[in-house]
Amino acid sequence: MDEIDGDGLLRHDIPAHPALRAGLVAIGAFVVVIATWELYRGVWPLNATSPFFLFIILGAWSVGMPMIWGGLTGPAVHWTVGPSRIEIVQKRPFQRDKHHVFQPGQIERFETLECPAMESDSTWRVTIVGRDSSRFDTRHFGTRKTADAFRGRIESLFNS
C-alpha cells in the first residue's frame, strides 16, 4: 500500500511503463498486419469465399487496433492526496498532461467498487466521484478490506 511521505502527502501511482506501451503497439500491429497479409488473397479478387475471409480480417482489426490505440493513448496516473486537496495528473503520450484538483466542496463521495473477474477472484478499487460527475479510480486491490483501508486513508488525510 502507498505510504505517506515525510511531507505529509500520500502519493499513489498507476504507471503505464513504456515497455508495456511498446508491447501493446507491437502485438496489435502484428495481429493486424499478419491477418491482412495472409488472408487478403482470399478476399481479392472477389469470389464466393471473399465475405468469409473479409470477416476474419475485420475480426483481427477489431482486436489489433484497440491494442494499438491503448498503447498509444492509455494514461499513466499520479495521485497526490493532502489535507483538503487531491491532485490527479493523467499523463498520455502525444498529449498534454491533464491536472485535476479536488477540494472539499468538489467531491461528492468516495466509493469502494468491486471489479468482477470471470475466472478468478474479484478485485476492488477506490473511486472518487466529483460534484461534476467526474470519476477517478485507483489501481485495483486484491481484497475489499485493503481497498477500504486505502479509502479510509485517503478520506482521513483529505478531511484533516
Side-chain angles (χ1 to χ4, degrees), residues 5-26:
D5 290 340
D7 58 3
L9 300 176
L10 174 70
R11 290 183 173 77
H12 175 73
D13 286 314
I14 308 167
H17 196 273
L20 174 66
R21 291 182 187 280
L24 284 171
V25 171

Side-chain angles (χ1 to χ4, degrees), residues 1-157:
M1 196 178 298
D2 301 66
E3 296 298 324
I4 298 175
D5 290 340
D7 58 3
L9 300 176
L10 174 70
R11 290 183 173 77
H12 175 73
D13 286 314
I14 308 167
H17 196 273
L20 174 66
R21 291 182 187 280
L24 284 171
V25 171
I27 292 169
F30 177 80
V31 168
V32 168
V33 169
I34 291 299
T36 305
W37 180 257
E38 292 295 327
L39 300 175
Y40 83 92
R41 290 178 294 275
V43 176
W44 193 260
L46 293 176
N47 59 58
T49 63
S50 291
F52 174 73
F53 286 106
L54 182 61
F55 184 72
I56 295 172
I57 291 171
L58 292 176
W61 278 68
S62 72
V63 171
M65 292 309 291
M67 291 179 73
I68 294 168
W69 184 254
L72 294 175
T73 64
V77 182
H78 177 76
W79 291 40
T80 306
V81 181
S84 300
R85 180 180 169 91
I86 297 176
E87 181 180 7
I88 300 172
V89 180
Q90 296 176 319
K91 297 180 180 187
R92 289 182 164 96
F94 315 114
Q95 292 182 9
R96 298 187 114 169
D97 296 350
K98 290 185 181 178
H99 294 266
H100 306 274
V101 178
F102 293 97
Q103 295 177 341
Q106 297 173 311
I107 293 181
E108 186 174 322
R109 66 184 179 278
F110 295 89
E111 299 177 329
T112 302
L113 299 174
E114 182 178 9
C115 304
M118 290 178 60
E119 296 181 5
S120 62
D121 294 337
S122 295
T123 58
W124 301 84
R125 68 175 187 258
V126 177
T127 300
I128 292 177
V129 180
R131 295 238 182 255
D132 61 353
S133 299
S134 60
R135 301 175 72 86
F136 296 93
D137 299 325
T138 63
R139 68 173 177 264
H140 293 238
F141 296 96
T143 64
R144 181 180 183 99
K145 182 179 177 183
T146 307
D148 282 338
F150 189 69
R151 187 188 80 214
R153 293 180 73 201
I154 291 173
E155 287 178 323
S156 66
L157 184 58

